[in-house]
Amino acid sequence: MALESDVRAAAEQRDDLPTAADVHDPDTEIPLTDLFDAEFVQTHTEFSSFDDLVAASPSPADAAAELETVPEGEWDEFVAETTDFADEKALVLAARDHWVGKQLELV
């Protein structure tokens, strides 16, 4: 998994990177299950998918589409207990870096 600094370092070594517009339309929302793909989830949690991670959380949510029903404080605590990350922010930033790295074919 490429963290932000790894993605930057890999990008600096390439002179043929596509533009942001080539890899993503900013008017298109990235589905959570694309951002938190199976590779990322399996590497950093005990779960096989993001839906499984959300379903195991202390809330009535059964899938990623229902993530907003998980209270923020409970989600941070759950993330800290069940992932490689201290809180939601760290989880999201790492998933972002992983997604960007995949889009740019850096990972």
Side-chain angles (χ1 to χ4, degrees):
M1 205 283 306
L3 295 175
E4 182 178 359
S5 60
D6 297 332
V7 170
R8 267 200 199 115
E12 288 172 0
Q13 295 177 8
R14 299 248 321 254
D15 58 1
D16 62 342
L17 286 177
T19 66
D22 290 337
V23 296
H24 179 66
D25 176 359
D27 295 326
T28 303
E29 187 172 314
I30 303 166
L32 284 175
T33 52
D34 287 358
L35 187 64
F36 297 95
D37 66 9
E39 177 186 0
F40 178 82
V41 173
Q42 291 169 10
T43 299
H44 296 288
T45 78
E46 61 190 56
F47 302 97
S48 60
S49 71
F50 193 63
D51 283 337
D52 291 345
L53 176 69
V54 173
S57 71
S59 75
D62 289 326
E66 300 170 346
L67 183 61
E68 70 276 353
T69 67
V70 182
E72 188 172 329
E74 287 181 15
W75 180 246
D76 275 339
E77 185 176 320
F78 178 73
V79 165
E81 292 172 358
T82 61
T83 75
D84 293 340
F85 306 101
D87 55 26
E88 178 183 25
K89 181 178 179 181
L91 172 70
V92 169
L93 291 176
R96 176 208 61 189
D97 292 345
H98 172 79
W99 185 87
V100 167
K102 283 182 69 175
Q103 299 308 303
L104 297 176
E105 298 177 356
L106 298 173
V107 293

